[in-house]
Amino acid sequence: NYHRDATGTFLSGYAPIYDQFGELDGYLGIDIDTSDVELNASRIRCTAFLVFLFTVPLALFIGWRIAVIFNSPIQDLVMGADQASKGNLDYSVPVRNNDELGMLANSFNRMTNQLQSQRDALIDANLQIDRRRRLIETVLAGVSSGVIGVDGRGVINLANNSASSLLGKTHEQITDHYV
């Protein structure tokens, strides 16, 4: 309750006082000059505003740093996946920590290394098959007898010039047909 008199404006508060038998003995009244209350309230508002001004940018900065810390390894993995999808299996994802994202980066690097090794082995095998095929074709070209090669399904996959002449068909008409 606010009240005014000749000395100023006051905020009053009252509390009952009881004796040892629990009977009302009187009331205690306290008056506080409102200028003190308003000054303290103003100080509290100013302090709260300053705390707000300090903590909001600090919280935003901390949130941004945490996002960067977690987002960087994920972006590295995305970049690695993009490079792998383009056939660049030499790209290595940097391992920043030994946490779950670091373990994922290690696994990704192992996977791309294995894919690179398997791709290299396939390329080598295809080159070797191609060299053998050319060697066989060269050898068969020098043979005067007609020679026809058949795969496991019964499809002609090789015919030398003598076989083409004997059958009276071109090489293309003989190969890739069933016997």
Side-chain angles (χ1 to χ4, degrees):
N1 298 336
Y2 288 99
H3 69 277
R4 280 193 181 161
D5 62 16
T7 59
T9 305
F10 296 93
L11 176 63
S12 298
Y14 302 97
I17 299 174
Y18 297 98
D19 64 12
Q20 71 264 20
F21 303 112
E23 294 188 19
L24 183 62
D25 209 11
Y27 290 96
L28 173 64
I30 298 175
D31 292 332
I32 300 173
D33 186 0
T34 57
S35 63
D36 291 340
V37 173
E38 289 175 10
L39 179 64
N40 285 337
S42 176
R43 285 183 186 155
I44 290 170
R45 279 192 299 273
C46 183
T47 302
F49 181 70
L50 290 175
V51 167
F52 175 77
L53 281 179
F54 176 72
T55 56
V56 167
L58 181 64
L60 289 173
F61 176 75
I62 289 171
W64 173 75
R65 285 300 301 154
I66 289 172
V68 167
I69 287 169
F70 284 110
N71 196 32
S72 292
I74 293 171
Q75 282 187 322
D76 292 340
L77 286 165
V78 169
M79 176 66 80
D82 184 54
Q83 289 295 315
S85 73
K86 293 176 181 173
N88 182 7
L89 298 176
D90 294 325
Y91 184 85
S92 180
V93 174
V95 179
R96 299 175 188 266
N97 297 315
N98 288 332
D99 59 0
E100 290 84 1
L101 291 173
M103 292 181 346
L104 185 58
N106 272 328
S107 295
F108 182 85
N109 290 337
R110 276 194 311 274
M111 178 191 70
T112 56
N113 287 339
Q114 288 173 349
L115 287 173
Q116 178 72 31
S117 297
Q118 291 171 354
R119 181 173 69 179
D120 291 346
L122 282 172
I123 289 171
D124 287 345
N126 281 336
L127 288 173
Q128 189 175 21
I129 289 169
D130 193 47
R131 280 193 299 270
R132 287 180 183 168
R133 182 187 52 77
R134 282 184 298 200
L135 175 65
I136 290 171
E137 286 175 353
T138 303
V139 168
L140 290 178
V143 174
S144 60
S145 301
V147 177
I148 295 176
V150 180
D151 67 11
R153 296 176 298 146
V155 176
I156 299 171
N157 60 7
L158 180 71
N160 69 354
N161 292 336
S162 297
S164 295
S165 295
L166 286 171
L167 295 173
K169 295 184 176 186
T170 66
H171 184 266
E172 289 77 21
Q173 289 173 324
I174 298 172
T175 55
D176 295 327
H177 291 84
Y178 287 98
V179 178

